[in-house]
Amino acid sequence: MARTTQRHTINGEITVHSRFTTRRLAAAAVAGAAAVAVLAPAASAAEFGPQQGVQTVADQAAGKLPAKLTVGSYVAYLKAQKTPEAKSTLKSFSALPAAKKAKFVGYLQDGKIYGSLFKQLKGTLNRPVTNVTSYNADVKFVHSVSSKGGLKGGHLVTYSATEKIFNIPVTTEKLTLRYEVVKGKVQRNARAQAQVTNVNAAYAIKGGAVKVAVKGIARADVTWKATPRVQAVGKAVAKDQAVTGHTKTWTAQLIHG
């Protein structure tokens, strides 16, 4: 095949190349574009695993979530977390038979289950309370409140709400309130802390600012927002968790946000 040459002037310099060279450059450009298109799905695969990690370029541009969580993508998610909770969950999950693994992952992305994790409790200081509610034979919600009334006025109330699947914890939302009582009155220097432990790959859960108020009693509030990470779960869920403390009693609740 005969080669023809073309001359181009760039910044005053003359460059010469053949049609054959031009074709090679064009092919390289196409290959480079293809490589870029593959890199983005690879990032998703690292998080969701090989089964659900690959998305089309069009899906990524539209910001679409993976359709659902699978056993393989859940295992990949747990391995990527590098936390003690994820490591423990991975060990327990891996020990389940295949049928239970499939059910476990199905429960994680069932929006009705996480959306029904609510409770209201009340009790007396220094008397721990644990309340267990069964969603079905495999899923249960454990609500625990521990409290302490200090002899020198220091008081503490901690409320945690945990979802368990096959007795394996997958989410725990905890709120702790500390306050003081002097001469029978709750003082204004109350403080609180909120913490979430989440190994449910179908949701990302974040808490807002913790609010503390004292009006005769001490009260702490936090709003948790669970954002879907797969399409199967449906809409986002918001919950308000609150704890109040008085001289001898407390209340705790997790309600719709």
Side-chain angles (χ1 to χ4, degrees):
M1 180 183 297
R3 297 184 182 180
T4 60
T5 59
Q6 298 177 353
R7 296 174 178 265
H8 297 278
T9 302
I10 301 177
N11 294 331
E13 296 184 2
I14 298 176
T15 61
V16 181
H17 60 81
S18 65
R19 287 183 179 178
F20 180 73
T21 303
T22 301
R23 290 175 183 174
R24 290 180 62 184
L25 291 172
V30 172
V36 172
V38 171
L39 287 176
S44 180
E47 182 174 359
F48 294 102
Q51 288 86 342
Q52 288 296 323
V54 179
Q55 296 174 283
T56 66
V57 175
D59 283 345
Q60 291 168 2
K64 291 185 178 180
L65 298 173
K68 64 180 182 178
L69 196 63
T70 67
V71 171
S73 62
Y74 185 53
V75 169
Y77 165 86
L78 292 175
K79 289 181 178 179
Q81 297 311 296
K82 309 296 183 183
T83 63
E85 294 82 9
K87 184 177 180 180
S88 176
T89 302
L90 177 60
K91 181 178 180 180
S92 299
F93 179 77
S94 299
L96 295 174
K100 284 191 173 183
K101 288 179 181 177
K103 291 181 71 175
F104 190 106
V105 171
Y107 290 142
L108 288 177
Q109 56 198 319
D110 185 339
K112 292 181 180 179
I113 294 179
Y114 178 76
S116 64
L117 177 56
F118 296 103
K119 198 67 179 178
Q120 290 182 305
L121 300 164
K122 62 181 179 179
T124 304
L125 290 173
N126 298 313
R127 293 183 180 180
V129 172
T130 298
N131 180 280
V132 180
T133 303
S134 295
Y135 181 85
N136 58 29
D138 305 325
V139 182
K140 62 183 178 182
F141 305 132
V142 181
H143 301 268
S144 300
V145 179
S146 61
S147 61
K148 181 178 180 181
L151 296 177
K152 295 182 179 181
H155 291 61
L156 178 146
V157 180
T158 298
Y159 167 40
S160 63
T162 301
E163 177 186 341
K164 291 186 175 183
I165 303 174
F166 297 126
N167 212 35
I168 301 173
V170 291
T171 62
T172 297
E173 292 151 346
K174 183 168 69 174
L175 182 61
T176 299
L177 170 67
R178 292 178 174 83
Y179 61 101
E180 294 182 4
V181 175
V182 177
K183 296 181 179 180
K185 292 185 178 180
V186 178
Q187 303 302 294
R188 293 187 175 275
N189 57 343
R191 56 199 185 280
Q193 181 180 14
Q195 180 182 357
V196 61
T197 302
N198 179 37
V199 290
N200 184 347
Y203 282 105
I205 303 176
K206 292 184 178 180
V210 181
K211 300 178 181 179
V212 180
V214 177
K215 294 182 178 179
I217 61 173
R219 179 184 175 95
D221 291 87
V222 65
T223 298
W224 301 106
K225 184 174 182 180
T227 305
R229 300 182 68 178
V230 293
Q231 296 179 37
V233 302
K235 298 180 180 179
V237 178
K239 301 179 182 183
D240 288 334
Q241 188 172 18
V243 172
T244 67
H246 200 245
T247 56
K248 297 181 180 180
T249 61
W250 56 262
T251 66
Q253 64 180 22
L254 188 65
I255 61 177
H256 287 281

